[in-house]
Amino acid sequence: MTPVVIAMIVIAALIIVVGLFLSGSGSTTGLTAMSGQDLELFKKTKDRGMVKVLQIILFLLFLASITLIILAFYLKW
């Protein structure tokens, strides 16, 4: 396995773990899209503390995975 594949697997595992930590907070959980529930995309939430930090981490991990996939595709890694 190449280092890019290993990095993608690690990022995917981290996304799942952070999503599971968020699964107990609110009506739209961390893994809502995977479970098929409806998303409340434009609902104003008042998340604070650790939930907000986990949401930001999940978003950053998502951006990192998309960036890594695009770079791997275009640079033929």
Side-chain angles (χ1 to χ4, degrees), residues 4 8 64-77:
V4 175
M8 287 183 195
S65 67
I66 293 298
T67 305
L68 189 63
I69 290 168
I70 290 171
L71 285 175
F73 179 74
Y74 283 113
L75 297 178
K76 307 286 190 227
W77 283 342

Side-chain angles (χ1 to χ4, degrees), residues 23-45:
S23 65
S25 64
S27 61
T28 45
T29 61
L31 299 176
T32 302
M34 294 172 97
S35 63
Q37 299 171 359
D38 53 344
L39 290 169
E40 299 171 9
L41 293 176
F42 302 106
K43 182 180 178 186
K44 195 101 166 152
T45 60

Side-chain angles (χ1 to χ4, degrees), residues 1-6 9:
M1 285 204 278
T2 64
V4 175
V5 173
I6 294 171
I9 291 171

